[in-house]
Amino acid sequence: MGQGLWRIARNQQLQQQGYSGPGYLTREHGRRIPANNVSSTSHRKQAQGGIDIYHLLKTRKSKEQEGFINLEMLPPELSFTILSYLNATDLCLASCVWQDLANDELLWQGLCKSTWGHCSIYNKNPPLGFSFRKLYMQLDEGSLTFNANPDEGVNYFMSKGILDDSPKEIAKFIFCTRTLNWKKLRIYLDERRDVLDDLVTLHNFRNQFLPNALREFFRHIHAPEERGEYLETLITKFSHRFCACNPDLMRELGLSPDAVYVLCYSLILLSIDLTSPHVKNKMSKREFIRNTRRAAQNISEDFVGHLYDNIYLIGHVAA
């Protein structure tokens, strides 16, 4: 038994020193394994799902010494997928290291279309010397210009050939862009009612509950801070568009664009009443039903009650 313990201790010492003689390396269930069979045994263990700890630690150590993984050593599809998660600033920094990869047109095309979903130039044959990286810089410059002066921003896009001089093209650009200042956008749409008309028609309210459709509408076309002619115009356009998207529902409920107009105004007033900290005595559900049915008599009580519940649970329709 003493000799057996000595052999075990000796084998552990030799393994720690990285020594493996030509004889026998280890024991497994009382059976000696020749050294020349180690490689086949290792492959068999890996095939059975085992983990080679030594190689794992060695690989990890080498990765720590190398630092970053060189993207040029990876398959191009994997490298592009990794770089596609970067924004424009980080992608420019990455181009200092991986110039060919980070300057690839596919990456900059994805950045352009994810930020500005529609531009007239997307559907045209690109001019000589065109690059999506340059287009991204122009789109960013035009957006900053728009947020300072909307008319100058739109003129900049047109001068660079990014947008066509068409209300429909401008409306599509606004609808698919989230970089424009909503206050400046509200001023621009108030002045350009032709663009506003095309922007409203881009909304699809089919099978949407009225308060939810109104919220979606005001996310793209922000409501003015005060009542007035512009707010009335927005609600009128929304009412007609909502009825056009839901003709079957309108027939079933017996609603007309004028009735939807009344409901929208009621929902806005209810939203203010329930969310404003200055209103202490909040409107009850019974009061809302009574007031709304007084203005639009053909509306069912249950439908108006569902409208109240939606505002009470979800919140303002024009926040």
Side-chain angles (χ1 to χ4, degrees):
M1 182 175 179
Q3 292 180 354
L5 293 175
W6 179 85
R7 289 194 186 95
I8 295 174
R10 183 58 177 166
N11 288 338
Q12 291 178 351
Q13 183 180 2
L14 291 174
Q15 291 176 4
Q16 291 174 358
Q17 294 175 356
Y19 175 81
S20 60
Y24 298 102
L25 185 65
T26 185
R27 294 173 181 265
E28 186 177 10
H29 302 296
R31 179 172 56 86
R32 292 183 176 182
I33 302 175
N36 56 5
N37 291 337
V38 171
S39 59
S40 62
T41 305
S42 176
H43 288 304
R44 189 161 56 250
K45 285 185 177 180
Q46 291 179 1
Q48 294 174 356
I51 300 176
D52 192 334
I53 303 297
Y54 172 75
H55 288 292
L56 182 63
L57 294 176
K58 184 178 179 180
T59 304
R60 180 178 179 184
K61 184 178 180 180
S62 63
K63 295 300 181 183
E64 292 175 353
Q65 292 175 350
E66 293 175 3
F68 276 121
I69 297 175
N70 188 357
L71 295 182
E72 294 178 349
M73 303 300 293
L74 300 176
E77 296 83 0
L78 182 57
S79 300
F80 289 143
T81 302
I82 295 172
L83 292 175
S84 66
Y85 288 96
L86 301 181
N87 56 31
T89 303
D90 293 336
L91 196 57
C92 288
L93 294 175
S95 65
C96 299
V97 181
W98 303 291
Q99 185 174 2
D100 293 336
L101 288 173
N103 288 328
D104 192 273
E105 283 290 277
L106 288 175
L107 293 174
W108 288 98
Q109 181 181 2
L111 276 176
C112 289
K113 293 189 175 182
S114 63
T115 309
W116 298 275
H118 175 83
C119 294
S120 303
I121 197 171
Y122 292 161
N123 302 319
K124 298 179 180 178
N125 293 325
L128 187 64
F130 172 83
S131 74
F132 276 99
R133 179 170 182 171
K134 180 180 178 181
L135 177 62
Y136 184 96
M137 304 305 173
Q138 292 175 340
L139 286 167
D140 188 57
E141 179 68 22
S143 297
L144 293 174
T145 305
F146 184 96
N147 293 338
N149 188 310
D151 291 327
E152 291 183 6
V154 173
N155 291 334
Y156 175 87
F157 290 130
M158 293 178 182
S159 66
K160 299 297 182 181
I162 297 174
L163 277 181
D164 293 339
D165 189 4
S166 164
K168 183 174 293 185
E169 286 296 302
I170 298 174
K172 289 181 180 179
F173 175 79
I174 293 173
F175 185 79
C176 299
T177 302
R178 298 293 178 269
T179 60
L180 305 180
N181 181 274
W182 64 272
K183 291 184 178 180
K184 297 295 183 179
L185 183 59
R186 184 173 61 192
I187 296 173
Y188 180 78
L189 293 176
D190 191 11
E191 297 174 352
R192 292 292 304 270
R193 299 297 176 92
D194 54 344
V195 176
L196 178 61
D197 290 338
D198 287 313
L199 185 58
V200 172
T201 58
L202 293 175
H203 290 82
N204 184 10
F205 302 124
R206 183 172 178 80
N207 295 329
Q208 291 191 26
F209 194 37
L210 181 60
N212 297 333
L214 199 57
R215 289 189 186 94
E216 180 183 338
F217 179 76
F218 283 129
R219 273 196 294 267
H220 288 92
I221 307 174
H222 292 272
E225 297 175 354
E226 299 178 354
R227 301 183 198 177
E229 185 269 338
Y230 182 56
L231 178 60
E232 294 176 358
T233 300
L234 291 181
I235 298 177
T236 300
K237 293 181 181 297
F238 168 82
S239 302
H240 284 84
R241 182 59 183 169
F242 184 82
C243 292
C245 292
N246 299 280
D248 296 336
L249 178 63
M250 295 302 101
R251 285 193 296 269
E252 180 182 346
L253 298 176
L255 297 178
S256 64
D258 291 338
V260 175
Y261 178 92
V262 172
L263 290 176
C264 291
Y265 239 116
S266 299
L267 290 173
I268 293 174
L269 295 177
L270 177 64
S271 299
I272 297 173
D273 185 275
L274 294 181
T275 60
S276 175
H278 304 291
V279 180
K280 295 182 179 180
N281 298 321
K282 306 296 184 182
M283 184 183 299
S284 66
K285 186 175 182 179
R286 180 177 297 178
E287 291 173 334
F288 176 74
I289 294 174
R290 184 180 65 249
N291 296 337
T292 304
R293 296 196 67 196
R294 188 180 300 167
Q297 299 177 358
N298 294 331
I299 302 174
S300 68
E301 182 175 332
D302 291 338
F303 181 74
V304 179
H306 292 320
L307 296 177
Y308 181 93
D309 293 338
N310 183 279
I311 303 300
Y312 184 83
L313 294 174
I314 298 179
H316 209 302
V317 291

